[in-house]
Structure formats: structure tokens, C-alpha cells
Amino acid sequence: MSPRDWLKLNWKVGALSFGGGGRAIYFHDALVQNSAELSDDEFQEGNTISQLVPGPNLVNLSTYLGMQLVGWRFMLVGFFLLCIPGAVIGIAFYELIDLNNPTMMLLFKGFSLGSVTFFLLFIYRLAKGLRSDIGRAVTASKLAVRILLAVLVAAASLYGFPLFWVLVVGIPVGVLVEFQT
Amino acid sequence: MIDLQIFLVFFKVSLMSIGGVFGMMPELERQIVFEHHWMSSEQFLQAYVIGQFVPGPTMAFCPVIGYMVNGWTGFISGFLGIYTGPTILVVLAQRGYTKFKDIQWVKKIELSIRPLVIGLLVASTIRLWVVQTYFQEHQLLISVFTVGLMSITLAVYQKTRWDILILLLGFGIIWASALVLFQ
């Protein structure tokens, strides 16, 4: 990917992707679905590490992929293009928009639910990756265990278990499953 | 001095925020509202709502909080505080992982964590859905309409491959217009 395309992508996500959540799909679309910049597996590596490192997942993902694709200088410029517009627009909202206006809130909710739509699509794409192992297809039993693990983690998180403990318990279980099967 | 405090609060919280914005909210609110008394719970919530709607990372509300507390210097402190630590950590993680990922057990560990990541994303999506579809009246009808519009949007996307951004904007406008008409 050319540095210019990388910066355009970050600008697009940073300045135009209203709605909250699920914005990683813009990166997946641009780098995996609509081009061959990265394989799905390479993207998932970046996504996994971005989720595990503390901080904003979207920024983490952009940082990881930027380092891989265009080097630290353009990664850094991309970082600012991704992070500054939303923060400045946030201040404009704070100063200029009446957040108690019901019509405005409905519009914002609409954008958020639009994001949920593509969040689901993104998760579906990631979930398809559970079918593969290193260099081969995964067995049916192992796939079932992986799905079960994902469901349990989602349930524990929704139930309100602290994320730290979900990961402290979940990661060893996941590793055990992977190495035992 | 207050700018340094803003920086340190966000810096510390950013390093505790595994799993995204939901993981760090209680601690951030505790620090900003109850410990430093920089704003009320209502103002904090207002900043959070702004962060949910602006483009880019949802943590864009952190520089906004900095701005609400101390103007543009607070904005810069909040911005640097929330993003500096994780960015450095990701760069280190990327370098480390790229160096060792060809070792089979390293790759296996990464694969073993993927289901957990998917589980966390599913939980985030459900939370977002619950928050945004909560209405005091006509809950069921609104939910059914929303699911229908989501299905149509996905079908259009699969068929046309239009830019997600366009579909997202279209979704928001149609959904909000329908609810205004409905109400």
C-alpha cells in the first residue's frame, strides 16, 4: 500500500466514519476484501494484538498495521489523521450542538446502529477465520471448542465479570485447547 | 499543573483499558468526577455520548473532557495522555510479534487468543445494540424495524459493494427519519 493510500484511509475513518464502534471493518475492507495488501490471517494477527494491548482498539489496529505496511513515519501521520478530526468535531459538538435535541439524538442513534450493522459483518469475517489452523483446516471438534470459548467470553463480559479476570482465565484455557487438540 | 494532572489521569487509565472503552469507563469516571471533581457525572456522560457519535476512535471523548476541564491545553493533555502509552506498547508488540511469529508455538498462542477477541467484540456489539435501541415506548416495533433495516443494508452491501461510509450515512438518515415520522 502506498503511504498516500494509507493516509487517505486513516483520514476517511478518522474524519468521516460517524457512529461509534466497529470501525475496524474499514481497514479490513481496504486491506483485505478490496485489495490484496494483507491476507486475512495477517489482518487477524494485527487485530488480536490490538485487542490485547491496552488502549483504543481502533488506534491500536491502525498503529499495528501502519508499522507493518508503511513504516513508523507514515504510521504516525496516519495516527494523527485518525485521531484528531474526531476529537475536534467532538469539541464542535460540545460547543455548538444541543445534545438534548431529540431529533439530533435520533440521528446519532441511527449512525450508531448503522455501525452495529457493520460491526456484525466484521465479527462474521473474523469468525470465519476460526475455521483455519496453521496451514490446514481445523477439525470440527476444535472449531466447536473455539466457538464455545468465544461464546463463554462474550457471556462473561456481558455478565459483568472484570475483563482482567476474563482474560486471566480465558487465555490459558484457549492456549490449552490449542495445544491439546 | 492541571494539564499535567489531566495527562497523568488519562495516561494511567489508558494503560488499564484492555478491551476498549467499556473497560476503562468506571475508573475514568472515578478519577475525573469523584477524585479530582473536574466535572459532574452529567457532564462526564455528555462527553461520553459525544465520543459515541464523532468519527474515529470512540476515545475521542477523552480530549473533549480535557477541553471541558481546561480549554485547548487540556485538550492536548487529554489527547497525549490517552494515546501515547498504548501507541508505544503497540509499536513494541508489533516489532516483537513480527520477529517471533514464525515460531510455531508463538503463532499457536496467537491463534488461541482469537476466539477470546471475537467473544469480546460480540459483547461490545450487544452492549452497543442494547444502549442504542432502548426506548420507553414501542420497543419491540423499533427493534424489528432496526433489524429489518440492518438486513437490507447488509444485503445492499453484499450485492453492490458500495462504500460502507455511504451505507452508514444512509442507514442513519433513514432510521432517524422513520422514527421521527413514527413518533
Side-chain angles (χ1 to χ4, degrees):
Chain A
M1 167 166 265
S2 72
R4 190 189 157 149
D5 287 342
W6 175 252
L7 300 183
K8 270 171 63 180
L9 176 61
N10 278 275
W11 167 253
K12 179 179 161 183
V13 180
L16 303 172
S17 66
F18 286 86
R23 282 139 178 166
I25 195 168
Y26 291 94
F27 286 97
H28 193 266
D29 247 28
L31 303 174
V32 181
Q33 289 287 123
N34 300 336
S35 72
E37 295 293 342
L38 291 173
S39 68
D40 192 56
D41 187 61
E42 288 171 318
F43 184 91
Q44 293 225 23
E45 288 172 352
N47 188 56
T48 303
I49 287 168
S50 306
Q51 293 281 334
L52 288 181
V53 173
N57 298 332
L58 182 71
V59 181
N60 288 355
L61 181 65
S62 168
T63 304
Y64 183 98
L65 297 175
M67 286 294 292
Q68 190 161 333
L69 292 168
V70 291
W72 71 269
R73 289 182 184 84
F74 288 105
M75 175 280 287
L76 208 54
V77 180
F79 161 83
F80 284 113
L81 290 175
L82 180 70
C83 298
I84 285 183
V88 173
I89 291 170
I91 288 173
F93 276 14
Y94 172 66
E95 295 284 8
L96 303 174
I97 290 180
D98 176 11
L99 289 170
N100 295 317
N101 180 325
T103 309
M104 189 58 72
M105 289 310 289
L106 276 181
L107 188 61
F108 286 153
K109 272 179 179 274
F111 290 145
S112 268
L113 288 165
S115 285
V116 169
T117 309
F118 290 103
F119 212 157
L120 289 171
L121 180 63
F122 180 61
I123 291 169
Y124 170 69
R125 286 181 187 170
L126 293 182
K128 279 202 297 188
L130 293 180
R131 294 182 304 190
S132 57
D133 224 330
I134 304 173
R136 62 191 160 88
V138 74
T139 60
S141 58
K142 192 169 177 177
L143 176 62
V145 175
R146 283 179 175 178
I147 291 170
L148 181 65
L149 192 57
V151 171
L152 287 175
V153 166
S157 177
L158 286 170
Y159 192 73
F161 283 108
L163 193 59
F164 175 77
W165 291 110
V166 173
L167 293 177
V168 162
V169 174
I171 290 176
V173 171
V175 170
L176 201 65
V177 166
E178 209 59 44
F179 281 83
Q180 286 290 313
T181 47
Chain B
M1 185 61 189
I2 193 167
D3 289 325
L4 182 63
Q5 282 182 318
I6 293 170
F7 173 84
L8 289 174
V9 163
F10 283 113
F11 187 79
K12 277 192 284 186
V13 171
S14 76
L15 297 179
M16 294 182 225
S17 63
I18 294 176
V21 70
F22 292 108
M24 69 173 211
M25 285 300 287
E27 177 60 16
L28 194 59
E29 185 180 19
R30 192 186 69 77
Q31 293 257 350
I32 287 175
V33 177
F34 302 112
E35 194 171 314
H36 291 284
H37 306 288
W38 283 332
M39 57 177 59
S40 65
S41 281
E42 271 185 11
Q43 287 173 308
F44 182 81
L45 187 65
Q46 192 181 30
Y48 172 72
V49 168
I50 290 172
Q52 288 300 300
F53 298 126
V54 296
T58 43
M59 287 192 194
F61 78 97
C62 297
V64 174
I65 286 177
Y67 176 84
M68 289 161 84
V69 174
N70 202 33
W72 286 104
T73 54
F75 172 88
I76 294 168
S77 304
F79 185 91
L80 293 176
I82 201 69
Y83 292 128
T84 304
T87 302
I88 292 169
L89 287 179
V90 174
V91 168
L92 295 175
Q94 191 272 343
R95 294 233 160 154
Y97 182 72
T98 306
K99 195 171 175 186
F100 296 112
K101 74 173 185 175
D102 292 332
I103 301 171
Q104 197 174 26
W105 65 264
V106 174
K107 178 69 186 168
K108 271 197 156 193
I109 287 176
E110 188 269 320
L111 281 173
S112 70
I113 295 169
R114 285 186 190 182
L116 277 73
V117 167
I118 290 171
L120 293 176
L121 290 175
V122 168
S124 288
T125 312
I126 292 172
R127 278 197 203 100
L128 201 56
W129 165 268
V130 169
V131 169
Q132 299 302 352
T133 57
Y134 175 75
F135 286 88
Q136 287 181 332
E137 293 177 347
H138 312 298
Q139 177 87 43
L140 181 64
L141 193 61
I142 291 170
S143 297
V144 170
F145 170 69
T146 306
V147 170
L149 192 58
M150 287 168 88
S151 308
I152 293 169
T153 305
L154 283 176
V156 170
Y157 173 74
Q158 293 292 0
K159 195 158 180 71
T160 63
R161 291 281 159 186
W162 282 351
D163 194 315
I164 290 175
L165 204 57
I166 294 168
L167 292 168
L168 183 69
L169 290 175
F171 184 104
I173 291 166
I174 292 170
W175 189 87
S177 305
L179 260 75
V180 168
L181 288 174
F182 181 70
Q183 287 175 344

